[in-house]
């Protein structure tokens, strides 16, 4: 279905970049309060957890726009970063463009900056996404950053976001400087059925549709909620696929893909959203092995993954 056929001027169900519209719901508002409380705490260091496509990045982007302009902040994707690349990324967002090869030079510069800002009652804020996927050396560096103090207060506020529980990482003896400073642990909940409907219709209206119910009727909203588990990012992808599959408005139930969310069965999703929250551990993985040895692990993150020798 073409966008115009759905009454849309632009695509509201974006899978990358800034959302066309920020649609608030209960769990999202609770997450924002958690982030605010963490940043305002004298020793604020919080864990912000939720499965892939649960809306964490959207919430973080909206939250940092509310931070006072005089407060420096950095939002870093920690996946695969080592000590040097991690520190360069943080300093770059704090306004430093110099590139150093020495981790000691980088950490000293960051320490001086954090102390100066904290001395002016504006300790900088560091938010690390995909903390669970950081290299061990970068995790050790996080521990050093957590020890920045000025006059019995932490000089750097920190939020560690991840797609899965990182409590076991934080509770390890080597991570004591983070574990002992922890001020909060938040796990994002999915949307309810009513919130999913409101989310869908608000996005359609933002894209220019004046009659969203004629594009995604109430019963289809309910199906989208069931098959997405109520996670916003999954909802967006299911709607994109349904719009491409439906020949014309409205979208019908048979146009909806029915993914199997890890840790759940579609038939019980409606009654077991808590199980989704606790059992979700990321996308399905394909293990390529030879004679019992794992050669490669492939995260199946796309709606469809074709495996073969040729490009198509």
């Amino acid at each position: 279905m073409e966008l115009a056929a759905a009454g849309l001027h632009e695509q509201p169900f974006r899978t990358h970049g800034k959302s066309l519209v920020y649609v608030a719901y209960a769990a999202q508002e609770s997450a924002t309060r958690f982030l605010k409380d963490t940043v305002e705490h004298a020793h604020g260091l919080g864990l912000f957890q939720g499965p892939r496509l649960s809306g964490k990045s959207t919430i973080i982007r909206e939250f940092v726009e509310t931070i006072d302009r005089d407060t420096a902040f950095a939002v870093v994707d920690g996946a695969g970063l080592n000590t040097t690349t991690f520190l360069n990324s943080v300093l770059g967002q704090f306004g430093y463009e110099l590139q150093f090869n020495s981790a000691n030079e980088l950490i000293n510069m960051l320490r001086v900056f954090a102390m100066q800002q904290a001395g002016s009652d504006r300790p900088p804020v560091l938010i690390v996404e995909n903390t669970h996927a950081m290299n061990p050396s970068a995790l050790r560096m996080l521990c050093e950053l957590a020890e920045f103090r000025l006059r019995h207060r932490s000089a750097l506020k920190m939020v560690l976001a991840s797609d899965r529980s990182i409590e076991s990482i934080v509770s390890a003896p080597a991570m004591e400087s983070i574990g002992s400073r922890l001020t909060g642990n938040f796990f994002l909940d999915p949307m309810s059925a009513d919130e999913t409907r409101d989310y869908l219709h608000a996005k359609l209206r933002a894209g220019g549709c004046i009659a969203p119910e004629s594009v995604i009727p109430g019963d289809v909203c309910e199906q989208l909620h069931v098959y997405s588990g109520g996670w916003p990012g999954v909802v967006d992808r299911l709607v994109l696929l349904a719009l491409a599959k439906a020949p014309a408005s409205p979208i019908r139930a048979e146009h909806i893909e029915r993914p199997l969310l890890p840790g759940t069965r579609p038939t019980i999703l409606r009654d077991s959203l808590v199980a989704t929250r606790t059992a979700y551990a990321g996308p399905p993985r394909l293990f390529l092995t030879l004679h019992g040895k794992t050669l490669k692990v492939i995260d199946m993150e796309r709606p469809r993954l074709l495996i073969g020798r040729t490009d198509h």
Side-chain angles (χ1 to χ4, degrees):
M1 186 195 316
E2 297 292 333
L3 287 179
L8 296 168
H9 304 310
E10 54 184 316
Q11 177 57 257
F13 300 101
R14 300 173 180 177
T15 57
H16 297 88
K18 185 175 175 61
S19 299
L20 181 60
V21 62
Y22 184 70
V23 183
Y25 57 95
Q28 209 173 54
E29 292 173 351
S30 296
T32 301
R33 285 195 298 272
F34 166 78
L35 296 175
K36 184 175 184 292
D37 291 344
T38 299
V39 169
E40 292 178 350
H41 194 286
H43 301 289
L45 192 158
L47 306 183
F48 181 34
Q49 300 158 106
R52 283 191 69 254
L53 306 178
S54 61
K56 297 188 303 299
S57 294
T58 298
I59 293 170
I60 289 170
R61 279 195 296 266
E62 290 295 322
F63 170 71
V64 296
E65 291 186 4
T66 69
I67 296 177
D68 188 282
R69 290 187 177 182
D70 293 330
T71 299
F73 67 86
V75 180
V76 178
D77 184 351
L81 295 186
N82 58 33
T83 300
T84 303
T85 55
F86 171 63
L87 291 174
N88 269 315
S89 181
V90 174
L91 284 167
Q93 292 192 50
F94 284 158
Y96 290 88
E97 297 182 359
L98 298 175
Q99 297 288 315
F100 294 101
N101 293 323
S102 166
N104 287 332
E105 290 177 310
L106 292 167
I107 191 67
N108 287 334
M109 176 171 285
L110 184 52
R111 181 181 290 107
V112 170
F113 174 76
M115 296 299 181
Q116 288 176 340
Q117 296 299 303
S120 302
D121 293 323
R122 296 192 304 271
V125 178
L126 171 62
I127 301 176
V128 182
E129 298 188 281
N130 293 313
T131 306
H132 63 281
M134 296 181 75
N135 286 341
S137 62
L139 285 173
R140 287 193 293 271
M141 182 54 62
L142 274 183
C143 292
E144 290 195 44
L145 301 185
E147 294 176 351
F148 287 179
R149 290 177 179 270
L150 181 68
R151 295 192 294 271
H152 306 293
R153 296 169 65 90
S154 295
L156 181 65
K157 306 298 180 65
M158 300 169 66
V159 174
L160 309 181
S162 64
D163 290 352
R164 63 203 67 173
S165 175
I166 55 173
E167 293 176 60
S168 60
I169 296 176
V170 171
S171 62
M175 303 287 286
E176 183 180 359
S177 57
I178 286 180
S180 62
R181 188 184 143 184
L182 191 64
T183 57
N185 186 2
F186 187 91
F187 203 111
L188 187 62
D189 281 322
M191 298 183 290
S192 68
D194 288 342
E195 288 171 335
T196 300
R197 181 197 61 234
D198 294 342
Y199 174 88
L200 288 164
H201 289 172
K203 285 210 161 187
L204 286 171
R205 282 191 289 270
C209 178
I210 60 176
E213 296 85 357
S214 67
V215 179
I216 309 180
D219 62 323
V220 176
C221 291
E222 173 71 17
Q223 292 296 310
L224 285 164
H225 169 72
V226 170
Y227 295 124
S228 67
W231 301 114
V234 184
V235 171
D236 289 345
R237 282 157 176 76
L238 292 183
V239 174
L240 281 175
L241 291 170
L243 285 171
K245 191 173 182 180
S249 290
I251 292 174
R252 302 188 185 282
E254 58 265 27
H255 301 142
I256 304 173
E257 296 278 348
R258 304 184 181 188
L260 179 62
L261 301 182
T264 64
R265 298 191 303 275
T267 55
I268 63 170
L269 268 178
R270 186 175 304 165
D271 301 320
S272 60
L273 294 179
V274 173
T276 306
R277 183 184 75 172
T278 56
Y280 194 100
R285 282 184 164 182
L286 175 66
F287 289 80
L288 177 62
T289 67
L290 180 64
H291 304 311
K293 181 181 179 181
T294 299
L295 303 181
K296 189 173 184 180
V297 180
I298 302 170
D299 285 333
M300 303 172 71
E301 297 178 322
R302 290 171 290 176
R304 289 189 176 90
L305 181 65
L306 301 182
I307 301 174
R309 294 181 180 276
T310 62
D311 290 340
H312 67 280

